[in-house]
Amino acid sequence: MAHQATPSSQKALMMELKSLQEQPLEGFRITLVTESDLYNWQVAIFGPPNTLYEGGYFKAHIKFPVDYPYSPPTFRFLTKMWHPNIYENGDVCISILHPPVDDPQSGELPSERWNPTQNVRTILLSVISLLNEPNTFSPANVDASVMFRKWRDSKGKDKEYAEIIRKQVLSTAAEAERDGVKVPTTLAEYCVQTRVPSQDSSSDLLLESVGEAGGFGGVEDGETSTRCYDDQDDSGNEES
């Protein structure tokens, strides 16, 4: 293995993987690319219901640096994505994944960039938020950004952007079938039953009630909880 792995980064990644296995994040499936390599994760993202991405099955790689969590990982979609903040090669351009340096030219505040308190959960929440709410100020894909603005400003009358996304969603069905995955298309299917943490978790601040306008929420019932994260969360939703 090419990595000069450090015990601290390995420990951090093992703890995060264990947490995500015990308390899965709705709409995502996470595995290691190979069991012997903690630094390369494969992510499957289910398109959130009631969005253009509903029914989609999108694959991505997260590659971690050897000094994680002090440096950010990279996030690259393997599935072809047409989006203002995704480069042609699949790399996601988002502030939360940019190193914590003070760069006034970028238009980003240092507080918007990566810091060691971030983790895979906050990255995934930022990516799913970015899918639904692109940042068009300095896009990675200019053509997609122009097309998105036309769709948004026309309140959906200009359908070109939406039609491209729906075609991409439909094209993912074959891969989902090959992988033996049933893609959720309703909120009930999208939300999964997970154990409620025995102690307060800061991630619970991101939870909102089911049925609240514009988001996914959580309803607690005894020791289990149907949890869905609000897709309006805009943490890390700035990019360059």
Side-chain angles (χ1 to χ4, degrees):
M1 188 169 65
H3 300 292
Q4 295 296 315
T6 62
S8 60
S9 62
Q10 286 184 324
K11 183 178 179 182
L13 288 169
M14 285 179 70
M15 289 177 66
E16 284 207 50
L17 187 61
K18 184 171 184 284
S19 170
L20 286 161
Q21 288 170 341
E22 292 179 350
Q23 297 175 35
L25 190 58
E26 292 73 14
F28 297 92
R29 285 190 177 185
I30 295 172
T31 55
L32 295 178
V33 175
T34 59
E35 287 188 17
S36 61
D37 186 357
L38 276 170
Y39 293 85
N40 283 285
W41 294 17
Q42 180 162 293
V43 181
I45 302 174
F46 298 133
N50 306 322
T51 73
L52 291 178
Y53 293 92
E54 178 178 307
Y57 178 64
F58 310 103
K59 286 186 169 180
H61 269 167
I62 305 179
K63 187 170 186 177
F64 298 91
V66 294
D67 62 345
Y68 180 83
Y70 299 102
S71 295
T74 58
F75 191 104
R76 173 177 289 183
F77 276 99
L78 305 178
T79 305
K80 190 73 174 173
M81 303 293 285
W82 180 255
H83 187 279
N85 308 121
I86 300 174
Y87 289 102
E88 191 174 345
N89 69 352
D91 283 347
V92 173
C93 188
I94 189 171
S95 293
I96 193 177
L97 295 179
H98 294 162
V101 296
D102 190 2
D103 179 11
Q105 300 299 319
S106 70
E108 296 174 338
L109 297 172
S111 60
E112 295 168 340
R113 291 170 171 251
W114 178 262
N115 68 69
T117 66
Q118 307 285 7
N119 54 39
V120 176
R121 287 181 190 269
T122 58
I123 293 169
L124 295 178
L125 287 169
S126 295
V127 168
I128 204 74
S129 175
L130 193 72
L131 285 183
N132 296 320
E133 298 180 10
N135 183 316
T136 59
F137 291 110
S138 52
N141 182 330
V142 174
D143 292 339
S145 181
V146 170
M147 200 180 291
F148 169 79
R149 286 200 301 267
K150 286 180 179 177
W151 173 76
R152 180 191 61 195
D153 296 345
S154 71
K155 300 190 186 305
K157 290 179 181 177
D158 188 309
K159 299 182 185 299
E160 191 177 12
Y161 182 80
E163 286 173 353
I164 289 178
I165 302 302
R166 292 313 298 170
K167 283 179 182 175
Q168 290 188 328
V169 166
L170 290 171
S171 72
T172 67
E175 182 146 26
E177 188 174 346
R178 278 197 301 272
D179 290 352
V181 172
K182 183 181 184 300
V183 178
T185 56
T186 67
L187 275 177
E189 293 172 342
Y190 190 84
C191 296
V192 295
Q193 289 285 320
T194 59
R195 283 284 183 190
V196 173
S198 57
Q199 53 195 11
D200 186 40
S201 169
S202 60
S203 64
D204 289 345
L205 296 174
L206 295 167
L207 297 175
E208 294 190 12
S209 300
V210 164
E212 198 164 310
F216 304 115
V219 175
E220 296 192 1
D221 179 18
E223 289 192 338
T224 60
S225 172
T226 305
R227 299 183 163 213
C228 272
Y229 287 85
D230 184 3
D231 71 326
Q232 301 300 315
D233 170 68
D234 61 358
S235 60
N237 200 16
E238 299 295 324
E239 50 73 51
S240 69

